Amino acid sequence: MLRWILALLLIPFLDAVLLAVIVTQFGFVNWVGMVLLVVLTGLVGMLLVRAEGRRTIRKMQRSMAQGKPPTNELLDGGLLIAAGAFLLTPGLVTDLIGFLLAVPLTRIPIRAALKRFVIVPYADKKTGGFASGGVWTFGFPDDGMAREQSESTDDGTYDLGDDAYTVDGDGTEDSYTIEFGDDRTDDGDERDDDPLAR
């Protein structure tokens, strides 16, 4: 978190240094010209963000009308909000970042990288793999430890180790008996009169 705060503080510093270098190195650009350049890039950027925002809302409405989740459109909306914030901040570096987030040609690769490296790993961490479908459908996850493989017998069953109960069946009837390992006695609830209980 501290890295992000330092990065956000570094951007205005770079803006101030870049503006000072441009004004001192190029004599034909004075402070008034630099301020006009910053204001002009901010206005053009805001018009671009507004147009892209309307386009993104129309795409979101089409996706929802078709019954699809508008995930890409929601990410585009978030990136456009960030682009608007960068474009409103005076400076050339923030304007450049804002234009990169506002133009679809550069926004789409940024969106793909954001999904792949930030959103999906975070969602997988919070949901245990359900977000990307990387869930365990058989057995148990390793949790960093090597577990013994269960071995299959000839009839297709797996030995999962000792359990707290045993199941007995003679194979001739469609019935079984489960005997739990703990010594529970239900004195008040007798089920001897039930013909299905064995």
Short mmCIF file of all heavy atoms in Angstrom, two decimals, residues 19 29 35 51-52 59 71 79 93 97-98 100 108-109 126 129 134 143 152 180 191:
data_model
loop_
_atom_site.label_atom_id
_atom_site.label_comp_id
_atom_site.label_asym_id
_atom_site.label_seq_id
_atom_site.Cartn_x
_atom_site.Cartn_y
_atom_site.Cartn_z
N LEU A 19 7.28 20.26 -16.35
CA LEU A 19 6.85 21.61 -16.74
C LEU A 19 7.97 22.62 -16.58
O LEU A 19 8.17 23.49 -17.44
CB LEU A 19 5.63 22.02 -15.90
CG LEU A 19 4.31 21.34 -16.22
CD1 LEU A 19 3.24 21.77 -15.23
CD2 LEU A 19 3.88 21.65 -17.63
N VAL A 29 8.19 28.84 -25.44
CA VAL A 29 7.08 28.40 -24.58
C VAL A 29 7.25 29.09 -23.23
O VAL A 29 8.20 28.82 -22.50
CB VAL A 29 7.08 26.87 -24.39
CG1 VAL A 29 5.93 26.46 -23.48
CG2 VAL A 29 6.98 26.17 -25.72
N VAL A 35 0.48 26.80 -19.39
CA VAL A 35 -0.82 26.68 -18.72
C VAL A 35 -1.92 26.42 -19.75
O VAL A 35 -2.80 25.57 -19.54
CB VAL A 35 -1.11 27.95 -17.89
CG1 VAL A 35 -2.55 27.97 -17.41
CG2 VAL A 35 -0.16 28.03 -16.71
N ALA A 51 -17.23 10.89 -24.21
CA ALA A 51 -17.69 10.09 -25.35
C ALA A 51 -17.49 8.60 -25.09
O ALA A 51 -18.37 7.77 -25.38
CB ALA A 51 -16.96 10.52 -26.62
N GLU A 52 -16.33 8.24 -24.55
CA GLU A 52 -16.07 6.83 -24.26
C GLU A 52 -16.97 6.30 -23.15
O GLU A 52 -17.37 5.14 -23.15
CB GLU A 52 -14.60 6.63 -23.89
CG GLU A 52 -13.66 6.70 -25.06
CD GLU A 52 -13.92 5.60 -26.07
OE1 GLU A 52 -14.10 4.44 -25.67
OE2 GLU A 52 -13.95 5.90 -27.27
N LYS A 59 -22.67 -0.20 -24.40
CA LYS A 59 -22.20 -1.59 -24.46
C LYS A 59 -22.65 -2.37 -23.24
O LYS A 59 -23.02 -3.55 -23.34
CB LYS A 59 -20.68 -1.63 -24.58
CG LYS A 59 -20.16 -1.24 -25.94
CD LYS A 59 -18.66 -1.10 -25.98
CE LYS A 59 -17.94 -2.34 -25.58
NZ LYS A 59 -16.47 -2.19 -25.64
N THR A 71 -18.71 -7.56 -17.43
CA THR A 71 -17.46 -7.43 -16.68
C THR A 71 -16.47 -6.48 -17.36
O THR A 71 -15.89 -5.62 -16.70
CB THR A 71 -16.81 -8.80 -16.49
OG1 THR A 71 -16.67 -9.43 -17.76
CG2 THR A 71 -17.67 -9.67 -15.59
N LEU A 79 -11.76 2.32 -15.41
CA LEU A 79 -10.58 2.93 -16.04
C LEU A 79 -10.89 4.33 -16.57
O LEU A 79 -10.04 5.22 -16.53
CB LEU A 79 -10.05 2.03 -17.16
CG LEU A 79 -9.40 0.72 -16.70
CD1 LEU A 79 -9.05 -0.16 -17.90
CD2 LEU A 79 -8.17 0.99 -15.87
N VAL A 93 2.37 14.65 -17.38
CA VAL A 93 2.47 13.22 -17.09
C VAL A 93 1.09 12.66 -16.76
O VAL A 93 0.70 11.59 -17.27
CB VAL A 93 3.47 12.97 -15.94
CG1 VAL A 93 3.48 11.50 -15.55
CG2 VAL A 93 4.86 13.42 -16.33
N ILE A 97 -1.07 9.78 -18.84
CA ILE A 97 -1.67 8.58 -18.23
C ILE A 97 -3.19 8.58 -18.48
O ILE A 97 -3.78 7.55 -18.79
CB ILE A 97 -1.35 8.53 -16.72
CG1 ILE A 97 0.15 8.33 -16.51
CG2 ILE A 97 -2.13 7.40 -16.04
CD1 ILE A 97 0.58 8.46 -15.07
N GLY A 98 -3.81 9.74 -18.36
CA GLY A 98 -5.25 9.84 -18.62
C GLY A 98 -5.61 9.48 -20.04
O GLY A 98 -6.60 8.78 -20.28
N LEU A 100 -3.86 7.51 -22.02
CA LEU A 100 -3.64 6.07 -22.17
C LEU A 100 -4.84 5.26 -21.65
O LEU A 100 -5.18 4.22 -22.21
CB LEU A 100 -2.37 5.64 -21.45
CG LEU A 100 -1.04 6.05 -22.07
CD1 LEU A 100 0.12 5.65 -21.18
CD2 LEU A 100 -0.89 5.42 -23.45
N ILE A 108 -7.74 -1.22 -23.78
CA ILE A 108 -8.07 -2.65 -23.84
C ILE A 108 -6.91 -3.52 -23.36
O ILE A 108 -7.11 -4.43 -22.55
CB ILE A 108 -8.56 -3.03 -25.25
CG1 ILE A 108 -9.92 -2.37 -25.50
CG2 ILE A 108 -8.66 -4.54 -25.42
CD1 ILE A 108 -10.43 -2.48 -26.90
N PRO A 109 -5.64 -3.28 -23.78
CA PRO A 109 -4.54 -4.07 -23.19
C PRO A 109 -4.34 -3.81 -21.70
O PRO A 109 -4.01 -4.73 -20.95
CB PRO A 109 -3.31 -3.63 -24.00
CG PRO A 109 -3.83 -3.04 -25.24
CD PRO A 109 -5.17 -2.49 -24.91
N LYS A 126 -9.68 -14.78 -2.55
CA LYS A 126 -10.82 -14.58 -1.66
C LYS A 126 -11.86 -15.70 -1.75
O LYS A 126 -12.55 -15.96 -0.78
CB LYS A 126 -11.50 -13.24 -1.97
CG LYS A 126 -10.67 -12.06 -1.56
CD LYS A 126 -10.53 -12.00 -0.06
CE LYS A 126 -9.78 -10.78 0.38
NZ LYS A 126 -9.59 -10.75 1.82
N GLY A 129 -10.66 -20.15 -5.46
CA GLY A 129 -10.59 -20.67 -6.82
C GLY A 129 -11.89 -20.65 -7.58
O GLY A 129 -11.92 -20.97 -8.76
N GLY A 134 -10.77 -22.62 -10.95
CA GLY A 134 -9.67 -23.49 -10.54
C GLY A 134 -9.93 -24.10 -9.18
O GLY A 134 -9.18 -23.88 -8.25
N ASP A 143 -2.22 -27.77 0.05
CA ASP A 143 -1.91 -26.80 1.10
C ASP A 143 -0.42 -26.75 1.40
O ASP A 143 0.00 -26.57 2.53
CB ASP A 143 -2.66 -27.11 2.39
CG ASP A 143 -4.15 -26.91 2.23
OD1 ASP A 143 -4.55 -26.12 1.38
OD2 ASP A 143 -4.89 -27.54 2.97
N SER A 152 -6.48 -47.19 -5.62
CA SER A 152 -7.73 -47.79 -6.08
C SER A 152 -7.63 -49.31 -5.98
O SER A 152 -6.59 -49.90 -6.23
CB SER A 152 -8.00 -47.39 -7.53
OG SER A 152 -9.11 -48.07 -8.02
N PHE A 180 -20.80 -46.16 14.29
CA PHE A 180 -19.94 -45.02 14.57
C PHE A 180 -18.93 -45.41 15.64
O PHE A 180 -19.20 -46.22 16.50
CB PHE A 180 -20.75 -43.82 15.03
CG PHE A 180 -21.55 -43.21 13.93
CD1 PHE A 180 -22.87 -43.58 13.72
CD2 PHE A 180 -20.97 -42.30 13.07
CE1 PHE A 180 -23.59 -43.02 12.69
CE2 PHE A 180 -21.68 -41.74 12.04
CZ PHE A 180 -23.00 -42.11 11.84
N ARG A 191 -35.25 -47.27 18.33
CA ARG A 191 -35.72 -47.41 16.95
C ARG A 191 -35.78 -48.89 16.55
O ARG A 191 -35.65 -49.21 15.39
CB ARG A 191 -34.78 -46.66 16.00
CG ARG A 191 -34.71 -45.18 16.31
CD ARG A 191 -34.14 -44.43 15.15
NE ARG A 191 -33.98 -43.03 15.46
CZ ARG A 191 -34.89 -42.10 15.20
NH1 ARG A 191 -36.01 -42.44 14.63
NH2 ARG A 191 -34.67 -40.85 15.50
#
